[in-house]
Amino acid sequence: EAQVTQNPRYLITVTGKKLTVTCSQNMNHEYMSWYRQDPGLGLRQIYYSMNVEVTDKGDVPEGYKVSRKEKRNFPLILESPSPNQTSLYFCASSFQIGGPYEQYFGPGTRLTVT
Amino acid sequence: DAKTTQPNSMESNEEEPVHLPCNHSTISGTDYIHWYRQLPSQGPEYVIHGLTSNVNNRMASLAIAEDRKSSTLILHRATLRDAAVYYCILGGSGNTPLVFGKGTRLSVIA
């Protein structure tokens, strides 16, 4: 089954404790992306990657890192989480960026930073 | 970036057709029109996309104006499961990610 998986689905952590949210897709997609969703602000893009070793900042990259060492994985790293990073996070992938290509989204990771 | 304008919310009765409008007056000739929806507590899911011609699939129909400055997502018979936020997005041919706006929150009344 074609899917995007994220782990963990729920995470409560404390300020400053480094964490990684994993994202994996099994569709051999070149394009992968991370979004955060906050009430009233819609979906905002954090980082995206057009292929292995190619990453770019989205609209809200501050406080986040990403890496794309393999095609299937695109982890989101919070080196020193802060309470304003409490949010719902979604990973997505598609065959290529933009154009006619459908994006597949993961189930989401709800992060709380205290 | 070409942007879209959608109503904040709409309401429909169950088993009635729903027409969700989207304006995109600055669309370029190579922009695809995408629709996604987000059910409560889930990630967005693809609904349909088109370029110039009207499109149908098992979920919905997409009607695109002749000048491409607007489009309408049509749900032929709304069910309670169709209650969601619907996003209209433009996907260009360049290396530009899809940009999600706030979408239209559709409520379906039994």
Side-chain angles (χ1 to χ4, degrees), chain B residues 37-81:
Chain B
R37 74 178 186 180
Q38 187 173 18
L39 302 171
S41 303
Q42 294 189 27
E45 63 175 347
Y46 167 83
V47 176
I48 200 166
H49 78 273
L51 185 61
T52 56
S53 305
N54 295 344
V55 184
N56 299 297
N57 66 21
R58 64 175 179 80
M59 289 179 71
S61 295
L62 176 60
I64 300 172
E66 201 168 326
D67 63 5
R68 300 212 323 129
K69 294 185 176 182
S70 66
S71 61
T72 302
L73 180 71
I74 303 165
L75 307 180
H76 295 286
R77 281 180 73 235
T79 69
L80 296 177
R81 278 184 42 88

Side-chain angles (χ1 to χ4, degrees), chain A:
Chain A
E1 179 192 353
Q3 61 181 351
V4 177
T5 56
Q6 295 179 226
N7 282 293
R9 294 288 314 279
Y10 302 90
L11 179 60
I12 301 174
T13 189
V14 296
T15 299
K17 186 176 181 184
K18 181 180 178 180
L19 66 92
T20 299
V21 184
T22 64
C23 173
S24 183
Q25 50 92 5
N26 63 359
M27 296 165 279
N28 203 35
H29 284 166
E30 291 187 354
Y31 177 75
M32 296 186 74
S33 177
W34 276 103
Y35 297 86
R36 62 177 288 174
Q37 188 170 37
D38 303 290
L41 296 177
L43 276 161
R44 294 180 292 167
Q45 192 172 49
I46 303 170
Y47 269 96
Y48 63 96
S49 168
M50 289 195 282
N51 215 325
V52 175
E53 302 291 3
V54 180
T55 62
D56 254 309
K57 295 178 180 179
D59 297 319
V60 288
E62 294 79 20
Y64 303 95
K65 284 177 57 177
V66 292
S67 69
R68 188 91 181 274
K69 293 183 172 31
E70 308 165 277
K71 202 170 190 179
R72 63 181 293 126
N73 296 322
F74 190 45
L76 179 70
I77 304 155
L78 285 71
E79 295 264 359
S80 182
S82 63
N84 65 11
Q85 292 178 299
T86 292
S87 188
L88 180 58
Y89 291 86
F90 291 103
C91 180
S93 75
S94 67
F95 180 65
Q96 287 185 4
I97 189 171
Y101 303 109
E102 172 186 349
Q103 279 202 69
Y104 293 77
F105 282 80
T109 295
R110 187 167 292 281
L111 172 66
T112 302
V113 183
T114 62

Side-chain angles (χ1 to χ4, degrees), chain B residues 6 22 28 34 42 44 46 50-51 65 68 77-78 83 87-88 92-93 98 102 109:
Chain B
Q6 300 177 252
C22 181
S28 76
H34 293 255
Q42 294 189 27
Y46 167 83
L51 185 61
R68 300 212 323 129
R77 281 180 73 235
Y87 299 96
C88 168
S93 59
L98 298 182
K102 296 184 180 176
I109 303 165

